[in-house]
Structure formats: C-alpha cells, structure tokens
Amino acid sequence: MRRTPRTSRPGRASRTPLLLGAALLTAVLQTAAAAGPGLAAAPGPAAGPPGHGDRDCARTRHPLDDRGRAVLAAVREAKADLHLNAVLFRVTVDGHDLVTDAVGESMTSVPAEPDMHFRAGSVAFAHIGTTVLRLVEQHRLDLDATIDRWLPEVPRAKEITLRMLANNTSGLHDYVTDPKFGAELTPHPFRAWTPEQLLAYPYAHSFWYDPGTNWSYSHANYLLLERALERITGQPIDELVREQVTGPLGLDDTRSGRTPEIPRPALHAFTSDRGIYEESTFWNPSWTTGPGAVITSTVCDMARSAQGIGSGELISRRSYRTLLDPGTVGLGVPTRKCPADICLKQTPAKHFGLGVIVANTWLLQNPSFSGYAAIQAYLPSKRLAIAVSTTKKADSPAGNNAETVARRIGALLAPEHPLAP
C-alpha cells in the first residue's frame, strides 16, 4: 500500500491497504519542511472546461498575488518530482482564497479539476471529534462516562470511557494493522465489511495496556465511538455530524456514503498496492470506519473544514483546549507488551488531539488509502488552511504524497512552522 510508517504496521507495503490519516502518526512525529522563495505575481489560470467552471469550487478567477503564484509553481514542481497523476489543492488565509487549482489528469485525457470528489477518510474523525465536544457543551454526554451503558458487548467496557475512544487510549488493537485482516482485504478490495466483522480482529487480541494508561492508534476506537454516539443520541452518525459540524460549516460537498459510489465529478484513483498498477476508484471503503462516517469531499470543503475545526469555530475555548490535548500529551510509553512502534511518544509539539493530529502547532488530518491521499491542515497563528488531494502514477513514491505537497506549500507560507509529515 505504501512505505508504511511504524504506526501502521500492516505488513508488507505492496500487499496491504493504505491506512487512514491518523494511522500515519509515526510520520507526523518526524521533522520535515524547509522554506521556499516567493515568485512574481501573475494572472490566475483559466477557468476549467464547461460543467466545472461554474461550480462553487473552481480555479481561482482573480489574479494571483506573489504567494499564490509561488504556491502554484511549487505544486507543479511537486507533481513532476513525485510523478503524480493529479494534484487538487486549495489554500486560504483567514477564510479567503489564496489559490485554488488542479494539475494533472483524473484519467487519461480527462483533466483534473478542483471540484472533483475523492475519498476523505480520517477527515471524518476530525468532524466526529468536534461533534463530541459540542455534545459535551450541550450536556448530552460526559466524556468520562464509561461505555458499558451503551456498548456492553465491548471487552472491558466498564473501564473504557468515551474520552479513551476519542483520544486513542483504550488499549484496543488496530484491526487495520492486523496481518490477518490485511490478508483478507488485499485480495478482496470490493468486499463490503460490517462493524462486527472488523471488530472481531481487535477482540481476538488482549489489550496493549490497561484502558487510559497509554496511547496507541486504533481504527476500532472511532468505529466504537461512532456506534456509542448513535446510541446516546438516537441519531445516525451521518445525521448527527451533519447537524453538529458539517452543516454549520457549510460543507455541502462532504457526504457520507453507504456504497462505494463517489459523487460526480469524481477524481479517479490508481494504485500498485496489490503488485500491479490498477484503478482503485470504486474499491469498497467500508473497512475504513463505521457506516455513515465513510465520506467523500472536495479540496474546497476540506480547506473550510481545516479552518473551522482548526480554529475551534464551533466550540468554546475550554473545548478547544480539549481538542488540542484530550489527555494524550505525555503518553505513548513503550512497555514489555506494547512496542515503541505502537505506543508512540506523545509530546506537546507532536501528538494526537481529539480527532486531529497536532504537529508544530498545525492541526491536521491526513487520509491515505486505496490510491487516494489527502491532507487538511490549519495553522491558527496565521489563519492558514491548506487542503491537498493527490493520486498516483505507477512510479509515484510510496506514502502520502499529499503531505509532501502540503509541506512544500507550508514551507513557502509559514517557514517558521514546518508542517511535519
């Protein structure tokens, strides 16, 4: 699936699926990025072909300033350097468009366009994290309530709290990194998975550690959190998140799906995960999280999402502090039972928040699976939002190439705050 960071550990990279963004935290815990030069101003690119240019998410129509021109040049250079099929991107400052564009092709002879939809994976976790905080403010749930009332079927449910699911301190194994899961998923990319089938993998293992005492990433946490929220509120998770987050932020092109369908126009994806270069656009994403939280989006929605979530627009200052550190900083201590590539060190500078990754004061999510890679990142001190989506050619580097593109953009616009991978 890619060169796998230590948090992922899905086995052999060429035979296993790319993990959702939060599972890339090992890479986040490494340093990167360097400053880049600015360029002279130039007119913005021409509008896209009929059927695209009249959409809300379109190429920047106004003349680009020095920064916008520099970003566009950096993206074009990154596309060439990384041998990417397509790069869709949007950069905003204080909510205002700096540059929105797309380079490359969706398919052969089909130009990539900014309004194309793609799988957004763990961006859903950022929305769910803020949904949880809003529900706390509305006195509809207690973060420190144990889950046995709503999820009595979960092992050690009387010891696990909602907070532990939301901040990945439950101790549950990650089904995505289980070699048995990879061995089943890889040859069957169109299979539809149920939550029960997915949870059977972590339930087959003992806990990495006692709930609440350490940190390790697990997709099972958010799958269970989504189920708990549905039982607490009596609402399907997609309706709940729409009511609490995506609706108020105006993310009309961010949608949950119960099938592998992607809304038109769709960005097509290709991957060599299974040893041959093949189209993966409609591989079934049901394994990524629970039903109702498997989302598609656009770079325009993701830039708005980055700003809204990263600034704490929808929550109080107290909740925003919890978003930044829900009790994870200082955890991630290797033990005899939990190796260092599982129980990863959570430092003040680089750690997992509530549904977001905090890295050098950026707040981000970075989904990467089935040939799709993306990132939404927000730097509060500069009110800077970056959204990138990329697809691969046969010889593209392994890993989340959208992160590499975003790092180059960040190095131009905020060199003093490197956007770590």
Side-chain angles (χ1 to χ4, degrees), residues 86-156:
V87 182
L88 282 54
F89 64 100
R90 188 175 207 199
V91 180
T92 66
V93 178
D94 203 16
H96 299 292
D97 179 46
L98 181 68
V99 56
T100 302
D101 210 329
V103 295
E105 294 182 319
S106 173
M107 297 184 292
T108 302
S109 301
V110 179
E113 298 292 341
D115 65 346
M116 287 180 165
H117 298 82
F118 50 85
R119 303 205 187 282
S122 59
V123 169
F125 298 164
H127 301 159
I128 291 167
T130 290
T131 295
V132 167
L133 293 171
R134 283 174 61 86
L135 292 174
V136 170
E137 292 178 1
Q138 296 162 13
H139 306 289
R140 298 173 66 182
L141 63 80
D142 176 0
L143 263 180
D144 295 312
T146 55
I147 63 173
D148 52 301
R149 176 178 174 184
W150 306 286
L151 303 173
E153 71 277 13
V154 177
R156 304 183 73 169

Side-chain angles (χ1 to χ4, degrees), residues 15 34 77 93-94 124-125 130 135 148 170 185 198 207 209-210 217 247 267 271 291 295 310 324 327 337 364 388 395:
R15 299 181 183 178
E77 182 178 28
V93 178
D94 203 16
F125 298 164
T130 290
L135 292 174
D148 52 301
S170 72
L185 177 64
L198 297 171
F207 282 55
Y209 46 82
D210 290 334
Y217 184 77
L267 177 66
T271 184
I295 65 171
L324 298 179
K337 291 182 60 178
L364 60 97
V388 180
D395 59 347

Side-chain angles (χ1 to χ4, degrees), residues 134 140 235 238-248:
R134 283 174 61 86
R140 298 173 66 182
Q235 294 177 263
D238 50 348
E239 293 181 9
L240 182 63
V241 172
R242 169 62 58 182
E243 174 188 280
Q244 296 292 334
V245 175
T246 59

Side-chain angles (χ1 to χ4, degrees), residues 390-420:
T390 61
T391 57
K392 296 180 178 181
K393 292 183 179 179
D395 59 347
S396 298
N400 188 325
N401 291 298
E403 289 183 340
T404 304
V405 176
R407 287 199 304 272
R408 295 192 185 188
I409 296 172
L412 287 170
L413 302 178
E416 69 278 23
H417 296 281
L419 175 55

Side-chain angles (χ1 to χ4, degrees), residues 16 68 103 111 117 121 126 164 336 343 347 390:
T16 49
V103 295
H117 298 82
M164 293 174 195
R336 181 178 59 83
C343 287
T347 70
T390 61

